[in-house]
């Protein structure tokens, strides 16, 4: 037999939902701006990609009054007949305080490009890793590896756009492309210089003393490796802000290779025995 429907249904309780927030009328904290205020702010300051809008206004020529930067490192790079040598130390200092003895001051941008760190460690690491991303996008878009000149020009454009914002970067971009070895010096003021030999950092004067006395473009492979290692050692020995491990890299048509990592104290006894 068919089931008979009940004579009456039980009335369920109803809930009143507050949907006023859809019309901008939701309650807000005292320090929370109204929607109309946010709309006005967006009209005055449209959104941008990247970190630049959140930075303080440019400091200009008075940057040293706002940010006291103490530089301490030694990096070098030079071209010779068979490739490019990059050599660095590993000490990070904060004023007179040695913050670390194990900083990796060579940024591996891709298999044929290297960048060095001098200045602010965070600035160098962030922007050179960003450069690596842009170089990879170039490869995907153009189906070929970016040249050393193009990578350094791209990095110069980035740094020039942030000139006056307090960045502290002194770097070398080194690599190998269809034209052979390439080496460029760049800094946070937008400088870009092509050359055969550079040294950057507080110990660079000591490194230049060794490089200027012994550098020859037609050196052999072993001589070039030893020259880079010895120049960094002398910088670590004479400059209090340089030290730790001496790392040497070599770049040729097969890409970059890390040749050696030697403790500067061990090198001291080796060279003075």
């Amino acid at each position: 037999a068919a089931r008979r429907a009940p004579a009456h249904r039980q009335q369920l309780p109803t809930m009143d939902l507050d949907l006023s927030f859809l019309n901008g009328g939701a309650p807000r904290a005292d320090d929370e701006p109204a929607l109309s205020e946010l709309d006005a702010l967006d009209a005055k300051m449209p959104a941008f990609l990247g970190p630049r809008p959140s930075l303080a206004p440019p400091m200009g020529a008075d940057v040293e009054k706002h940010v006291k930067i103490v530089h301490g490192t030694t990096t070098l790079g030079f071209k010779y007949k068979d490739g490019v040598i990059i050599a660095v130390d590993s000490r990070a200092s904060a004023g007179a305080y040695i913050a670390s003895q194990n900083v990796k001051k060579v940024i591996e941008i891709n298999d044929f490009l290297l960048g060095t760190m001098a200045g602010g460690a965070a600035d160098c690491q962030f922007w050179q890793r960003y450069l690596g991303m842009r170089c990879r996008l170039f490869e995907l878009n153009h189906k070929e590896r970016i040249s050393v000149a193009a990578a350094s020009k791209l990095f110069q454009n980035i740094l020039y756009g942030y000139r006056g914002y307090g960045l502290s970067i002194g770097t070398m971009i080194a690599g190998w492309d269809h034209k052979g070895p390439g080496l460029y010096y760049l800094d946070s003021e937008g400088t870009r210089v092509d050359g055969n030999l550079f040294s950057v950092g507080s110990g660079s004067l000591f490194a230049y003393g060794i490089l200027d006395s012994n550098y020859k473009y037609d050196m052999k492979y072993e001589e070039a490796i030893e020259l880079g290692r010895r120049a960094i050692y002398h910088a670590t020995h004479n400059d209090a802000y340089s030290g730790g491990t001496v790392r040497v890299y070599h770049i040729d048509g097969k890409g970059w290779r890390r040749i050696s990592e030697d403790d500067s104290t061990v090198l001291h006894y080796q060279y003075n025995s």
Side-chain angles (χ1 to χ4, degrees):
R3 300 179 61 183
R4 186 174 60 182
H8 63 278
R9 294 179 179 274
Q10 183 179 2
Q11 187 69 25
L12 297 176
T14 59
M15 298 179 61
D16 294 330
L17 299 179
D18 183 8
L19 302 179
S20 59
F21 66 91
L22 296 177
N23 300 319
R28 64 179 191 274
D30 294 337
D31 58 347
E32 182 181 344
L35 291 179
S36 59
E37 298 174 3
L38 292 176
D39 293 339
L41 183 63
D42 287 339
K44 294 178 182 178
M45 297 180 61
F48 290 90
L49 293 177
R52 184 171 180 173
S54 62
L55 295 175
M59 301 175 190
D62 296 331
V63 63
E64 289 294 339
K65 296 181 180 179
H66 301 279
V67 182
K68 183 61 177 177
I69 301 172
V70 180
H71 305 275
T73 189
T74 305
T75 64
L76 65 85
F78 59 84
K79 295 191 290 187
Y80 77 111
K81 65 182 181 67
D82 292 329
V84 185
I85 297 295
I86 295 292
V88 299
D89 74 319
S90 67
R91 176 174 292 180
S93 56
Y97 173 70
I98 298 176
S100 174
Q101 288 277 73
N102 300 294
V103 176
K104 187 177 181 182
K105 295 185 181 180
V106 175
I107 306 296
E108 298 154 359
I109 299 172
N110 62 29
D111 291 342
F112 290 84
L113 276 176
L114 294 176
T116 63
M117 289 173 46
D123 292 341
C124 293
Q125 286 185 348
F126 177 85
W127 288 112
Q128 291 192 44
R129 287 174 179 172
Y130 177 79
L131 175 63
M133 180 268 292
R134 294 290 299 270
C135 291
R136 178 59 178 154
L137 289 177
F138 181 94
E139 293 182 26
L140 295 174
N141 289 331
H142 298 273
K143 311 303 180 185
E144 63 177 345
R145 194 172 69 247
I146 192 170
S147 66
V148 184
S152 64
K153 186 64 177 179
L154 176 59
F155 198 35
Q156 180 199 23
N157 292 340
I158 295 170
L159 296 178
Y160 188 86
Y162 284 88
R163 189 174 60 168
Y165 279 84
L167 294 182
S168 176
I169 296 175
T171 184
M172 290 172 286
I173 301 297
W176 187 284
D177 54 26
H178 62 283
K179 294 183 178 180
L183 180 65
Y184 291 82
Y185 165 79
L186 301 99
D187 64 28
S188 46
E189 295 300 308
T191 304
R192 173 176 174 266
V193 182
D194 179 19
N196 288 337
L197 186 152
F198 295 109
S199 184
V200 187
S202 59
S204 60
L205 293 178
F206 305 108
Y208 271 128
I210 302 300
L211 293 172
D212 291 342
S213 301
N214 299 277
Y215 172 75
K216 296 177 295 183
Y217 187 81
D218 58 350
M219 287 185 296
K220 296 180 180 179
Y221 170 81
E222 294 78 8
E223 294 175 330
I225 296 297
E226 181 59 23
L227 177 59
R229 183 186 295 117
R230 181 180 287 269
I232 293 295
Y233 155 71
H234 278 278
T236 62
H237 182 65
N238 293 281
D239 176 39
Y241 299 103
S242 302
T245 302
V246 178
R247 294 187 173 95
V248 180
Y249 286 72
H250 184 267
I251 312 172
D252 57 16
K254 298 180 181 179
W256 60 262
R257 288 179 296 136
R258 185 167 55 248
I259 303 301
S260 64
E261 295 187 2
D262 301 289
D263 189 282
S264 57
T265 305
V266 175
L267 290 178
H268 174 75
Y269 290 104
Q270 176 181 326
Y271 290 139
N272 293 278
S273 59

